[in-house]
Amino acid sequence: MVQFYSPNRRSVNRGIISVTADNLDAQGQGIARHQGKTIFIQGLLPGEQAQIQLTEEKRQFAKAKIVKRLSDSPSRVVPRCPHFNVCGGCQQQHVAIELQAKTKASVLEHLIQRETGISISAHPIIHSPEYGYRRRVRLGLQYDFKKNPARQQKLLMGFRQSQTNDLVAVAHCPVMRPELEQLLQPLSQCLNSLSAVKRLGHIELVLADNGPLMVLRHLDPLKHEDREKLRTFSVQHKAAVYLAGDEKTLEPLTEGQPAPWYQVDGLKLKFSPRDFIQINDDVNQQMVAQALAWLDLQPTDRVLDLFCGMGNFTLPMATKVQTAVGVEGVAALVANGQYNARLNELNNVDFFHENLESDIHQQPWAVLGFNKVLLDPARAGAAGVMSHIVKLAPERVVYVSCNPTTLARDSKVLLEAGYHLVSVRMLDMFPHTGHLESMALFSREPMAIE
């Protein structure tokens, strides 16, 4: 008989055990200890007791589900969203917002201390409104093909369930800006009325300062009747509509639709509906103001903004310095940065379209000199540019991060070059989720921050 090798699988104890959570992680999972092993339990808060059952067991840790919660923490609150615990968008609406922010700040402090050996506070935290903060959302569209005679087939519009590809149809989403949330039900009705209802991909809702807009991805050309229904929706709800027949093209439903724009630090920035903009406008305003204050910008400064996008930081900095330069890898964002510089009559700013993950030493911006630097990389961090920043020897560096692990890693390059980590802030950009944003200030000379 042929025998096949099968590695031993770690067995999971299916018995019921009682634990008390003593901490919370950034994802909102309770942390408990049992027989020397760390256990992560979704839905359990610090101080709460529960009977749990292990669902996954590793050598160093385990995961568990709650069988019965035996006590309630004072930090437990009633989720505002009716879809919470089903929709995968939010993980922490049951946690008081103060505990959420405090936990994320502690996680940030721990990572920096572990990677750099520096103990530093991530306070004061840059806070967000608890609800109604998202000005951009992407909703999946899925036609329900299930043959259920008791239920009429229809288009589902919503977010993915946690750890599945199934959609949760949402009629309410309290983390969305109210101007977008109020579009959900009429938009669902409109899309369900289209003859192309079975051939729709997804829809994005964006709130610009001059009104809401939506981008509809459709898999087949839309008939005239469908366009007219969308045009009626657009007029009734004062929402601009853009059609995306593929991932590259974008067609305004109505000719002459004004370009969307938002304001930051008194400047007007126009953008394409598909361009990246910060989702939380309130935190973005605070973040830009903090960055400018930390850099202590002067009229003689030459400042460099790496991973600059469409100039969210670059353009406000340009109003205060001799020269500002932004470098970005997405050509459309560079074009918008250049356009917005002209729109705001800023003649001292240049944008370069370059790949900052390639060899940057031959890129034209790299031969220029700068005395202050800001960088805002993606989750992968900025490993490719850190050595060049050291070579520039700027007086101050502000690092804005969406991944505390890569922030801690890249920080070591500056610290080893003699820079001082002066200040760190946790940015509560996405309340009720596990996303942790942060920013850090490095200085070539020792300094104090009030």
Side-chain angles (χ1 to χ4, degrees):
M1 183 177 68
V2 177
Q3 292 185 336
F4 294 95
Y5 169 74
S6 178
N8 293 328
R9 293 183 178 180
R10 186 171 298 276
S11 61
V12 176
N13 180 1
R14 296 295 180 182
I16 305 299
I17 59 177
S18 295
V19 298
T20 301
D22 57 19
N23 210 336
L24 197 70
D25 73 358
Q27 303 299 318
Q29 298 180 111
I31 302 174
R33 273 82 182 175
H34 181 73
Q35 296 181 350
K37 179 168 288 187
T38 299
I39 305 175
F40 297 93
I41 310 113
Q42 185 64 47
L44 198 63
L45 302 186
E48 291 183 337
Q49 295 177 306
Q51 293 177 340
I52 64 170
Q53 186 176 53
L54 300 186
T55 57
E56 181 181 346
E57 189 169 11
K58 304 289 186 180
R59 186 179 301 275
Q60 300 296 330
F61 69 92
K63 294 183 178 181
K65 64 180 180 180
I66 297 174
V67 176
K68 183 178 182 181
R69 194 172 67 248
L70 303 175
S71 63
D72 285 344
S73 164
S75 295
R76 178 172 291 278
V77 296
V78 177
R80 188 177 297 183
C81 180
H83 308 292
F84 183 68
N85 282 332
V86 181
C87 174
C90 294
Q91 301 82 43
Q92 301 190 47
Q93 286 194 23
H94 64 297
V95 186
I97 193 69
E98 297 82 5
L99 179 58
Q100 292 184 38
K102 179 182 176 182
T103 299
K104 292 179 183 179
S106 296
V107 169
L108 176 61
E109 293 165 359
H110 172 74
L111 280 171
I112 291 176
Q113 199 282 328
R114 186 186 69 188
E115 295 296 319
T116 68
I118 296 175
S119 296
I120 191 166
S121 171
H123 293 73
I125 294 167
I126 293 181
H127 287 283
S128 163
E130 183 175 358
Y131 288 99
Y133 63 84
R134 286 194 70 106
R135 64 176 171 181
R136 185 182 205 118
V137 293
R138 178 167 169 157
L139 298 158
L141 299 176
Q142 186 178 75
Y143 191 74
D144 182 8
F145 286 100
K146 296 178 182 178
K147 295 182 179 180
N148 185 344
R151 183 180 63 190
Q152 184 180 0
Q153 294 181 15
K154 66 176 183 177
L155 182 75
L156 303 179
M157 182 179 75
F159 301 107
R160 303 291 175 190
Q161 291 186 30
S162 178
Q163 299 181 338
T164 78
N165 287 323
D166 295 333
L167 276 185
V168 178
V170 297
H172 302 282
C173 180
V175 299
M176 291 170 58
R177 289 285 296 269
E179 298 94 326
L180 298 181
E181 186 189 21
Q182 68 185 12
L183 295 177
L184 290 177
Q185 294 190 51
L187 177 58
S188 177
Q189 293 170 2
C190 175
L191 296 180
N192 269 285
S193 73
L194 303 183
S195 62
V197 63
K198 298 180 183 179
R199 299 290 293 164
L200 302 178
H202 61 261
I203 192 159
E204 293 182 71
L205 300 179
V206 184
L207 183 63
D209 283 9
N210 56 328
L213 62 95
M214 68 184 205
V215 178
L216 176 62
R217 175 76 170 95
H218 54 96
L219 306 180
D220 295 329
L222 294 180
K223 295 180 179 179
H224 174 75
E225 294 81 0
D226 284 351
R227 286 173 172 264
E228 287 304 306
K229 288 179 180 179
L230 290 168
R231 188 170 286 110
T232 298
F233 174 89
S234 173
V235 172
Q236 288 179 343
H237 298 279
K238 297 181 174 60
V241 177
Y242 295 80
L243 303 177
D246 55 46
E247 294 296 338
K248 294 183 179 179
T249 60
L250 193 65
E251 173 196 355
L253 180 64
T254 303
E255 290 187 15
Q257 289 180 174
W261 53 270
Y262 73 92
Q263 287 187 312
V264 60
D265 198 45
L267 302 177
K268 182 177 180 179
L269 275 62
K270 291 187 177 181
F271 62 95
S272 167
R274 279 181 164 170
D275 284 347
F276 171 80
I277 61 171
Q278 291 290 350
I279 285 173
N280 190 322
D281 178 57
D282 191 272
V283 171
N284 184 55
Q285 301 290 339
Q286 296 180 69
M287 177 177 67
V288 171
Q290 181 67 85
L292 270 58
W294 273 356
L295 287 170
D296 188 29
L297 299 174
Q298 304 298 322
T300 56
D301 285 340
R302 294 179 54 83
V303 62
L304 173 66
D305 183 5
L306 298 173
F307 311 94
C308 69
M310 56 181 280
N312 187 60
F313 291 100
T314 324
L315 298 174
M317 292 192 297
T319 65
K320 297 172 172 59
V321 301
Q322 181 185 90
T323 302
V325 168
V327 187
E328 167 59 42
V330 179
L333 295 178
V334 171
N336 272 354
Q338 294 167 335
Y339 174 84
N340 283 310
R342 295 191 297 270
L343 178 67
N344 290 280
E345 300 180 342
L346 296 171
N347 302 315
N348 61 335
V349 56
D350 289 313
F351 288 89
F352 291 85
H353 175 216
E354 299 289 350
N355 181 3
L356 291 172
E357 296 178 355
S358 65
D359 181 8
I360 66 172
H361 302 291
Q362 303 303 316
Q363 296 177 6
W365 66 269
V367 301
L368 305 176
F370 304 93
N371 68 315
K372 291 174 182 176
V373 173
L374 182 141
L375 63 160
D376 183 9
R379 291 190 60 80
V385 302
M386 297 309 297
S387 62
H388 189 73
I389 292 175
V390 169
K391 181 180 176 181
L392 288 172
E395 301 162 21
R396 299 188 184 196
V397 177
V398 169
Y399 191 131
V400 180
S401 170
C402 60
N403 184 347
T405 301
T406 50
L407 167 64
R409 178 201 68 195
D410 294 341
S411 296
K412 290 191 284 188
V413 178
L414 294 172
L415 296 172
E416 289 167 1
Y419 278 81
H420 303 271
L421 178 55
V422 178
S423 191
V424 176
R425 294 282 185 273
M426 199 286 286
L427 312 175
D428 198 14
M429 185 79 77
F430 300 101
H432 310 302
T433 78
H435 294 293
L436 196 167
E437 310 264 331
S438 58
M439 57 194 302
L441 169 63
F442 300 86
S443 174
R444 201 170 56 192
E445 303 296 335
M447 60 180 290
I449 286 287
E450 296 182 358

